[in-house]
Amino acid sequence: MAEIAFRNVSKRYGKTLALDDVSFTVKDNAFFCLFGPPLSGKTTILRILLGLETPDSGEVLIDGQSVNRLGPGERNIAMVFQNLALFPHMSAKENVIFPLVERNMAQKDIEERLNDVSKKLHITHILHKPPSQLSGGERQRVAIARALVRDPVACLMDDPISALDARLRESTRVELKRIQRELGRTLIYVTHDQEEAMSVADTMAILVDGQIKQIGTPDEIYRKPANIAVARLLGSPAINLLVPNNDHQTVSFAEGSLLLPVKTLPNDAKTIGIRPEDLKVAHWDSKQKGKPASVFQTEPLGGTTVLTLEAGDVRLKALLRGQPDFKPHMLVALSCDPARAHYFDSSGKVLQ
Amino acid sequence: MKKSIPFEVFRYAMIALALVVALIPIAWMASMAFKPVGEWSATGADLTWWPKHPTLFNFNFIFGQSDTSLIVALEKTAAKPILASLLSSIFGTLIAISAGTAAAYGLSRFGAGKNLPLALIQLRIFPPMAVMIPVMIMWAFLRLNDTWFGLALVYGIVTLPFAFWLMKTFFDDMPREIEEAALVEGCSRWRVFTRITLPMMRAPLASAALFVFIMNWSDYLIALLLTSREWVTIPVYMASLSSSMTGQLYGAKAALGLIAAIPPLVLGIAIQKHLVRGLTFGALKQ
């Protein structure tokens, strides 16, 4: 049970700045997710928190106490590594009880904890097997059991389900949520999969190039991205970014325009972001003002359809429900509810 | 992948051919070891694969028994050279493997001694002769000439680069997260090494040890230069098995050769399981 905080932590590897003045606080019992593209510094944060790396500057706090000087074994933080890092020469049981044996716990207590954690993770029946004979999901659960068996103040997970296939990932995600709720433990979870991040996290931090760009609930971050970088990272298909005209009412393309029926487009808006699901697509009526866009490609995904639209040299994506009646080369009119558009200034910051 | 029958036949034919080429000399040695003196240099129709009159004379002879069929007495028996070979090879292997493993681990994990790999290779760049002459002089000063431990020390040094390079590859291939997981779970650095790293390295260690042992066991040159009377090894002793009257003592050499083949063979079979794993270790990442 602990609150974990980073205070202005920076870390440099040679010439690359891996972490740039990173600060955040993870509340007790939170499911905190670090999300960012590959090489954005997510794993570095975990390694510094564990004590496997030392920060160049800044402080790591657990319950308000600086742990900068403590070694990895003294922080009582557990970790599930990306490749799980099970000990291949030990059985699943030996793996799970390893942290307890290393801490010279009494045999009776070890058995008790082992039973407890294996029941919760449903691994009782596979405890005698070596890791090489376990399936991906089973290894996963053994690694989590090893991390949780010794009652750590927090558990870190570095993209632990990226190696699983899509269906297994979905069920593991649900499982992780359940485990976190049942055990009531602070969980810091790293992933580069946005769907995963948004589905499991209570709070998420968006990390780009070693900087924290935004912290909030997944819903908040999706609906109110703080800057272009964050807006770009979340959402699939990605957000449409457009440059508005000087009249502050329309967005121009080479041969046409998208009318934004709004009078209050902020003056210094240099970029407009429209999520694909917020872009309205209608059949073109020649009496309409402005010029049409055309359908370039349709991708029916069953419940939804992704339209790629072409307007001059600009390509836009729209996400529509069901399977609407649009075919390639059809002319369409585009519009958007201005309240649902995002406006960014020249530095990429969002305008309120 | 489906394989056609002609291809399979061809494949096995090639394997058989390779085996024949490799095994004929060994088979010939085994046969020779049991031939009486009269058959040693037989020619023409007398030259047979199977000894006409199989005998254990050759074995008895090298261990000191003489016989009227051969009017030669050996200056010394094979017992001491076998002991010399065993002692120097085993201890040389221990030196090379322990020092090589420690050095490889230090370099692989902590970047200690960045110039070490090259320095160690340099040990092998010079022709052994060029290195051995100064070693002979130094060993003479240290009174290590003609001792089994003096020889073991040189074996350890000469095979160290092999042990080092083999172990370094294996340490480099081992995912560092496994050791880090143990660190996080409360192990000290030393505990990590003994509890996690070494047990995981059992297979590589076994194959490296066998490799180094065979190199030491079959050395001729170093033993020839560093030992003279007391502690000559099997290969040196074998070369001396000839006489001015009868020429080469083929049967005695074959018998000794057969005995010399036993330790590597036994060792190889004993660690066969590890050997296969050691050679495929990199492919078994989880």
Side-chain angles (χ1 to χ4, degrees):
Chain A
M1 308 296 148
E3 188 176 273
I4 288 166
F6 266 50
R7 292 271 172 276
N8 310 98
V9 172
S10 292
K11 175 78 183 173
R12 207 172 258 288
Y13 291 114
K15 279 183 183 165
T16 14
L17 189 59
L19 291 183
D20 185 3
D21 199 23
V22 166
S23 298
F24 62 86
T25 304
V26 183
K27 294 222 179 67
D28 195 11
N29 284 345
F31 200 131
F32 184 84
C33 187
L34 280 164
F35 171 71
L39 299 176
S40 55
K42 307 181 295 276
T43 302
T44 309
I45 289 185
L46 294 193
R47 293 178 62 85
I48 287 178
L49 185 48
L50 281 171
L52 293 171
E53 308 268 354
T54 352
D56 295 339
S57 62
E59 259 188 316
V60 180
L61 307 171
I62 297 178
D63 274 338
Q65 302 276 311
S66 169
V67 293
N68 278 23
R69 280 152 190 265
L70 295 184
E74 302 165 317
R75 299 190 178 190
N76 200 16
I77 295 180
M79 168 88 164
V80 179
F81 286 86
Q82 184 159 21
N83 59 7
L84 304 180
L86 294 174
F87 308 129
H89 58 294
M90 297 181 186
S91 68
K93 177 183 166 183
E94 286 171 303
N95 264 286
V96 173
I97 64 174
F98 184 86
L100 306 180
V101 174
E102 282 309 298
R103 284 173 168 74
N104 298 317
M105 192 179 260
Q107 196 60 41
K108 209 183 101 224
D109 299 336
I110 292 183
E111 288 295 329
E112 206 170 289
R113 289 224 190 170
L114 174 71
N115 285 336
D116 191 39
V117 81
S118 1
K119 253 182 229 144
K120 274 183 185 144
L121 286 158
H122 312 309
I123 53 170
T124 314
H125 61 294
I126 50 166
L127 281 177
H128 60 283
K129 291 186 186 173
S132 56
Q133 285 176 24
L134 302 178
S135 73
E138 289 168 340
R139 278 183 204 175
Q140 172 86 41
R141 295 207 296 273
V142 171
I144 296 175
R146 183 179 67 184
L148 296 177
V149 73
R150 67 181 156 99
D151 221 357
V153 294
C155 181
L156 318 185
M157 297 191 181
D158 188 357
D159 222 348
I161 65 181
S162 62
L164 306 182
D165 63 61
R167 195 174 301 176
L168 202 52
R169 284 166 76 141
E170 236 166 79
S171 59
T172 312
R173 241 160 32 199
V174 177
E175 193 79 340
L176 276 177
K177 256 314 226 201
R178 172 185 74 84
I179 293 165
Q180 195 261 344
R181 257 200 318 268
E182 270 181 29
L183 295 169
R185 213 63 62 80
T186 308
L187 200 71
I188 301 183
Y189 190 93
V190 156
T191 178
H192 64 269
D193 179 337
Q194 53 155 321
E195 229 181 90
E196 203 172 297
M198 298 193 60
S199 66
V200 295
D202 299 330
T203 312
M204 64 194 280
I206 310 287
L207 198 66
V208 180
D209 292 335
Q211 292 177 329
I212 297 230
K213 295 288 187 188
Q214 192 173 0
I215 298 179
T217 65
D219 187 47
E220 238 168 56
I221 294 179
Y222 187 76
R223 282 191 299 117
K224 295 176 186 161
N227 50 53
I228 290 188
V230 173
R232 264 208 200 110
L233 270 178
L234 292 184
S236 170
I239 195 167
N240 297 301
L241 294 170
L242 306 162
V243 180
N245 287 336
N246 286 332
D247 62 5
H248 295 296
Q249 286 200 1
T250 54
V251 176
S252 280
F253 316 123
E255 309 156 9
S257 59
L258 163 66
L259 195 65
L260 288 173
V262 59
K263 296 168 203 96
T264 53
L265 185 56
N267 271 333
D268 40 359
K270 289 287 181 279
T271 312
I272 298 178
I274 301 168
R275 297 255 178 229
E277 63 268 31
D278 293 334
L279 196 61
K280 287 178 193 152
V281 185
H283 288 282
W284 177 254
D285 175 354
S286 54
K287 282 172 238 156
Q288 260 171 296
K289 235 174 34 169
K291 284 185 181 169
S294 69
V295 177
F296 181 72
Q297 198 183 320
T298 63
E299 298 164 55
L301 302 175
T304 53
T305 300
V306 176
L307 288 187
T308 306
L309 305 156
E310 210 172 24
D313 56 353
V314 179
R315 285 223 176 130
L316 298 163
K317 296 258 188 193
L319 184 66
L320 306 177
R321 279 169 168 276
Q323 283 151 335
D325 171 35
F326 291 110
K327 300 233 155 41
H329 307 302
M330 257 184 194
L331 295 182
V332 289
L334 303 179
S335 62
C336 167
D337 174 0
R340 302 199 62 103
H342 307 272
Y343 308 100
F344 304 100
D345 68 10
S346 52
S347 68
K349 270 217 189 98
V350 79
L351 294 162
Q352 294 307 323
Chain B
M1 201 173 73
K2 221 180 129 187
K3 289 169 186 151
S4 63
I5 292 169
F7 175 78
E8 284 297 280
V9 170
F10 176 72
R11 203 164 73 100
Y12 280 103
M14 293 314 282
I15 292 173
L17 185 67
L19 275 177
V20 165
V21 170
L23 290 179
I24 276 186
I26 294 172
W28 186 249
M29 180 180 78
S31 146
M32 178 65 85
F34 296 98
K35 283 181 179 174
V37 181
E39 289 181 47
W40 285 2
S41 323
T43 50
D46 292 334
L47 188 63
T48 51
W49 268 105
W50 202 254
K52 282 181 189 157
H53 308 284
T55 168
L56 287 176
F57 165 75
N58 295 327
F59 294 92
N60 292 331
F61 175 71
I62 56 172
F63 285 107
Q65 201 190 75
S66 52
D67 195 288
T68 46
S69 58
L70 194 66
I71 329 150
V72 181
L74 286 175
E75 204 178 315
K76 58 189 290 186
T77 69
K80 190 82 182 283
I82 290 173
L83 182 68
S85 269
L86 280 173
L87 283 175
S88 57
S89 298
I90 290 172
F91 281 91
T93 306
L94 284 178
I95 293 171
I97 293 295
S98 47
T101 303
Y105 189 70
L107 181 68
S108 183
R109 288 294 180 280
F110 307 105
K114 288 215 169 62
N115 298 321
L116 198 60
L118 264 185
L120 279 175
I121 278 203
Q122 277 170 13
L123 256 180
R124 308 294 307 182
I125 288 178
F126 298 105
M129 263 309 189
V131 182
M132 282 318 295
I133 289 173
V135 169
M136 280 173 72
I137 297 167
M138 285 191 282
W139 259 229
F141 273 112
L142 297 168
R143 297 183 185 281
L144 292 173
N145 271 346
D146 205 14
T147 59
W148 67 264
F149 44 89
L151 195 56
L153 194 55
V154 179
Y155 282 167
I157 295 167
V158 168
T159 49
L160 178 65
F162 288 95
F164 170 81
W165 275 97
L166 271 171
M167 292 314 293
K168 185 178 176 301
T169 339
F170 289 121
F171 283 134
D172 287 349
D173 281 351
M174 181 179 159
R176 70 171 182 177
E177 285 87 358
I178 292 185
E179 288 189 346
E180 286 173 350
L183 275 181
V184 168
E185 301 306 347
C187 283
S188 66
R189 259 283 162 200
W190 178 250
R191 283 286 284 174
V192 172
F193 186 67
T194 53
R195 272 269 273 167
I196 306 296
T197 316
L198 277 187
M200 279 182 71
M201 286 291 147
R202 234 177 317 187
L205 276 172
S207 35
L210 178 66
F211 188 59
V212 166
F213 178 81
I214 290 174
M215 283 179 70
N216 292 340
W217 185 254
S218 50
D219 162 73
Y220 175 67
L221 182 68
I222 297 172
L224 181 69
L225 294 174
L226 284 184
T227 59
S228 46
R229 295 183 55 83
E230 285 297 312
W231 292 97
V232 293
T233 59
I234 294 175
V236 179
Y237 175 73
M238 193 188 287
S240 74
L241 286 178
S242 63
S243 79
S244 50
M245 284 165 71
T246 53
Q248 299 287 339
L249 305 176
Y250 290 121
K253 287 190 174 188
L256 186 58
L258 213 55
I259 292 170
I262 293 170
L265 200 68
V266 170
L267 205 57
I269 291 169
I271 64 170
Q272 194 179 28
K273 194 184 80 194
H274 289 313
L275 207 59
V276 178
R277 276 216 49 204
L279 298 176
T280 57
F281 185 72
L284 288 179
K285 266 185 201 161
Q286 41 164 325

